[in-house]
Amino acid sequence: MENWQDQKSYIKTFTEDECAISTQDLSVFYGGTVQKLFNVSLGFKKNTITALIGASGSGKSTFLRSLNRMNDRVARVDGSIMFHSLDVNQSKINVYELRKAIGMVFQKPNPFPKSIRENITYALKANGHRNKKKLDQIVEESLKAAALWDEVKDKLDQSALALSGGQQQRLCIARAIALKPEILLLDEPASALDPVSTAKLEDTLKQLRKKYTMVMVTHNMQQASRISEYTAFFHLGHALEYDTTTNIFTNPQGEITEKYIQGSFG
Amino acid sequence: MNAKKTNRIAAGVIYFLVGIVILLLIGIIGNILITGVPHLSWHFLSSESSSFKAGGGIRDQLFNSLYLLLLTLLISLPIALGAAIYLAEYAPDNWFTQLIRTTIEILSSLPSIVVGLFGYLLFVVQFGLGFSILAGALALTFFNLPTLTSNIEEAIKGVPQTQREAGWALGLSNWKTIRGIVLPAALPGIITGVILSAGRVFGEAAALIYTAGQSGSTVDYSNWNIFSPTSFLNIMRPAETLAVHIWKVNTEGIIPDVNVVSAGTSALLVIVVIIFNFGARALGNWIYKRLTAAKIK
Amino acid sequence: MAKKEQDLQQVVEDALAEQKVPHVKFKGIDPRNIDVDRLTKPSKETRQERWGKGLTFLAIILIGVLIVAIIGFVGMHGLATFIDNKVNVFHFLFSTDWNPGAGKNHVGAAAMIVTSFAVTLLAAIIATPFSIAVALFMTEYVSGKRVQILQSFMELLVGIPSVVYGFIGLMVVVPAVRAVFGGTGFGILTATLILFVMVLPTITSLTVDAFKAIPKELRKSSAALGATKWQTIYHVVLRAARSRIMTAIIFGMARAFGEALAVQMAIGNAVLMPYNLVSPAATLTSQLTSQMGNTVMGTLPNNALWSLALLLLIMSLVFNFLVHLIGKKG
């Protein structure tokens, strides 16, 4: 794959109105000099799921974590991130408000060692929500949205750590949704889960698509093809190809993309 | 000599040396407890010490030790907690942080007598506090700060990074994440660290001889007015602790039952240290289980 | 290859087909309308952040100021002997004539310096083989419960207050030394034996850490070459841990050098150049402990004591420096 830079590539573009969030020439540097991401410009269409695929170290997670400025503490991020016609990759941007608008779910389920209810209400309370009735309602709604309500409605005050891995991950989604974000970023949300939990999680995501824009990093090609409308392929810190999932999987332009997809399926 | 034989001899030597160390350990702790525990009567614990007759107790010294420990923790805990949070969560990786870390290392390796003398110079003489509980607590704070800070920092660093990320991703400020998520998760480790450092403070004498003083004043346990010179709560009165008491009776050698008083007091100190050592871990584990238990309530 | 491509096609088509039929009807909360203005304005979180960072930074600065103050104050008083009282530094370091009450030509601290170093070095020399043996025992020979028991015993040993060691010294070591060697029983040997027990756990626990840090593969590959346990220990474990063992010993020496009360209770407190190990002597710390209360602030005898304290402080810095030096090299 030495000549990867010469490969044919296609990057799908959307108009700004179609996009929930988009990046322009996004580059990420670690430790001042080590560049992990090279001028990535991608737009993510509203109310769709976009899968980011690519080998380990291809920069897809780095890219995802830059979108809600989670890399601020460890890396320098150049370029712009457009969100509501505003470049949110500026120091004057209030990252706390930004992260409330762009939720994130991580690779490993990371519920707080608190009760299920508190996991969801903790951030709300920090935002000044005090009305107990309202909070209970949000807990119920977000757990329902995350398809977890039926399983936990009788034990909301038990520790979240007692849930199974799959339930914990859906709780993390519920926790993110409770803040009513516009966008959900998912960093390999199913990689630590068993097949049954994964299926449930995918179901949940498919339903959430109606209202949220989701960007999901995944190693699992089947998963990408099962639930995403669009797919971007990352290679060595570059976004090499971006198109509808159908096109990427059935008719990839570049040789590397094709090899990666076949290798990962085979 | 062949390799097998050397191997056997080496193992023999190691077991022999370890055996001596174990005998030494048992001997020391056994000696302290066996000679001391029989003297730990209620009378001994509840009566005043005598300055020249036999039969004195250690009531005031025991109270002073506990009171000083409490005050020391009250002063040093907030500072150590703040410093540990800064080092674990905020400190950038630069020369300044490096300097601060070196500083804390230096403070932790300073001989306690030097810390005590500094306390004497600054508080007792310069600030005119005189030999007092306050001066002693401040000196013990210096003595305690580096250990406590690094204990707490370790506990905080033990909290998985994913917990912090969860907080940040919800739009919580770093500070709110630390206070609401990281600190509760680190609590068992913090408590263990605090108790372990408390054991060290409880037995410290060198830092106190010239700060809290070597003599007890008349203490009235029914006087709750903290400004009254005889009140047991007055922080401006001089106060001899258990450890200082052992040192004083042995170096002065005035009372005839030096050995009895010292042995009893030593046993008490060691028992307290044992309780602190094992209690710290047990309590930490218990809280950890409570926090992460499957069922709350 | 063709077969594989067909399979791939099938998998993708199945998956895409499945996508089009979501089975449950979605009800849930709507995203809120993002108020773009809030993205550019500081919020409660911004203030919290500033407050938290400021508060914790303050604690750090406090500790920094503290150490500067300690060095400053002790340094100022310690140097007064040489600046105000015009005592010659070489006289102070190399003369054994210690009688500061008699004037500036009688402020020789050599006897105490030599004694301090003597007890420190002797304690470290005795403790090191024991520490290494115990550490090897705990990491290479046994495992599980026995290690834990030994470990908690060691921790207990660290926790025993130094006055208690001093008292045991008076009760047990002094009479024993008197019985064997005659004399008073007070002296360098007695102090050394007490310090040996006190530094033993320090050196041991750091040495255990050093051994534990050595990768298991190194031991395995050595054993795979047919080396006996001792050969592995000697050629692999001890060699790899060499610099960290040195660090452990220096930490132990720092503890011994700065220990005041236990030594002061056992050494006899006579400022004499030690000519044998069982005659009364005095270390820097023991002299400080026993005399600070007997001098008047600002006079030469008092300043001379502060010079001893300064010397202790400097030695503590030197030990720290050595640890860093070895850390860099090792």
Side-chain angles (χ1 to χ4, degrees), chain A residues 84 93-94 96-98 100-101 126-127 141 177 179-182 203 211-212 225-226 228 262 265, chain C residues 1 4-5 8-9 11 15 19 23 26 28-32 34 36 38-39 41 43-45 49:
Chain A
H84 286 275
I93 292 295
N94 183 327
Y96 313 109
E97 291 299 326
L98 179 70
K100 287 175 203 168
N127 287 347
E141 280 174 356
I177 294 174
L179 292 174
K180 306 188 176 178
E182 284 189 354
D203 251 8
K211 295 192 171 162
Y212 301 93
S225 60
R226 275 198 300 270
S228 69
Q262 284 180 0
F265 268 110
Chain C
M1 197 66 198
K4 199 174 166 188
E5 255 167 61
L8 169 63
Q9 193 77 34
V11 170
Q19 240 193 68
H23 358 189
F26 175 68
I29 37 181
D30 291 319
R32 106 195 106 101
I34 303 298
V36 179
R38 297 184 63 175
L39 288 177
K41 293 206 182 78
S43 62
K44 196 177 69 195
E45 286 83 2
E49 194 55 19

Side-chain angles (χ1 to χ4, degrees), chain C residues 246-301:
Chain C
M246 272 310 290
T247 310
I249 296 171
I250 291 173
F251 268 111
M253 285 170 62
R255 187 172 184 206
F257 200 86
E259 176 50 46
L261 300 190
V263 172
Q264 190 259 354
M265 287 163 88
I267 202 159
N269 301 308
V271 188
L272 300 168
M273 197 64 177
Y275 52 89
N276 66 30
L277 296 183
V278 289
S279 64
T283 63
L284 296 169
T285 52
S286 75
Q287 187 64 13
L288 269 176
T289 314
S290 48
Q291 295 308 316
M292 194 49 109
N294 301 336
T295 57
V296 179
M297 203 51 125
T299 62
L300 175 59

Side-chain angles (χ1 to χ4, degrees), chain B:
Chain B
M1 216 168 12
N2 67 36
K4 277 224 172 93
K5 205 164 174 191
T6 323
N7 190 37
R8 261 204 309 278
I9 292 170
V13 171
I14 286 172
Y15 275 83
F16 176 70
L17 292 178
V18 172
I20 291 179
V21 170
I22 291 175
L23 282 180
L24 213 57
L25 288 173
I26 295 172
I28 289 169
I29 293 166
N31 181 300
I32 296 169
L33 295 180
I34 290 167
T35 56
V37 170
H39 302 301
L40 287 178
S41 61
W42 177 246
H43 171 80
F44 184 64
L45 295 177
S46 67
S47 55
E48 265 183 84
S49 59
S50 145
S51 35
F52 47 87
K53 282 195 312 235
I58 51 168
R59 179 192 69 191
D60 298 344
Q61 285 80 7
L62 182 56
F63 174 77
N64 288 341
S65 290
L66 293 170
Y67 194 36
L68 258 170
L69 173 62
L70 183 75
L71 283 178
T72 304
L73 288 182
L74 273 181
I75 306 171
S76 56
L77 190 56
I79 303 174
L81 195 61
I85 291 175
Y86 183 83
L87 287 176
E89 303 286 338
Y90 286 114
D93 190 9
N94 61 15
W95 65 269
F96 182 76
T97 307
Q98 212 46 50
L99 183 74
I100 288 290
R101 284 189 188 285
T102 314
T103 304
I104 292 177
E105 266 172 49
I106 290 174
L107 190 56
S108 77
S109 64
L110 277 188
S112 56
I113 182 78
V114 173
V115 174
L117 290 176
F118 167 71
Y120 169 66
L121 207 52
L122 190 63
F123 302 121
V124 177
V125 180
Q126 209 89 356
F127 292 177
L129 296 182
F131 290 126
S132 61
I133 291 185
L134 182 59
L138 289 170
L140 283 180
T141 295
F142 298 168
F143 169 78
N144 193 27
L145 269 179
T147 327
L148 192 56
T149 302
S150 53
N151 284 354
I152 297 179
E153 191 193 345
E154 285 307 307
I156 291 176
K157 279 187 170 165
V159 177
Q161 186 66 9
T162 55
Q163 288 287 315
R164 292 181 186 88
E165 289 184 335
W168 299 336
L170 291 172
L172 299 177
S173 64
N174 203 1
W175 178 240
K176 181 83 185 162
T177 308
I178 293 165
R179 256 187 24 200
I181 296 160
V182 177
L183 286 187
L187 195 63
I190 292 177
I191 288 182
T192 307
V194 169
I195 300 179
L196 285 179
S197 81
R200 232 168 66 94
V201 168
F202 197 76
E204 176 54 32
L208 287 177
I209 293 175
Y210 292 110
T211 50
Q214 308 165 31
S215 62
S217 52
T218 329
V219 184
D220 177 1
Y221 289 92
S222 58
N223 186 348
W224 287 82
N225 175 9
I226 59 165
F227 298 109
S228 159
T230 57
S231 168
F232 66 110
L233 292 176
N234 187 339
I235 54 172
M236 299 310 289
R237 67 177 169 89
E240 187 192 40
T241 64
L242 291 173
V244 172
H245 189 57
I246 297 178
W247 178 76
K248 196 190 77 178
V249 295
N250 276 290
T251 39
E252 284 184 347
I254 297 175
I255 52 173
D257 57 346
V258 171
N259 293 347
V260 171
V261 171
S262 308
T265 313
S266 295
L268 184 63
L269 276 178
V270 170
I271 290 170
V272 171
V273 168
I274 293 176
I275 293 173
F276 277 11
N277 264 3
F278 291 97
R281 297 231 156 67
L283 190 64
N285 286 340
W286 183 75
I287 291 173
Y288 181 77
K289 277 201 189 112
R290 280 296 298 260
L291 280 177
T292 57
K295 283 179 185 164
I296 291 176
K297 271 169 268 175

Side-chain angles (χ1 to χ4, degrees), chain C residues 122-144:
Chain C
L122 286 174
I125 289 171
I126 304 175
T128 301
F130 284 96
S131 292
I132 292 178
V134 174
L136 283 175
F137 182 75
M138 284 166 70
T139 54
E140 314 291 324
Y141 285 87
V142 293
S143 57

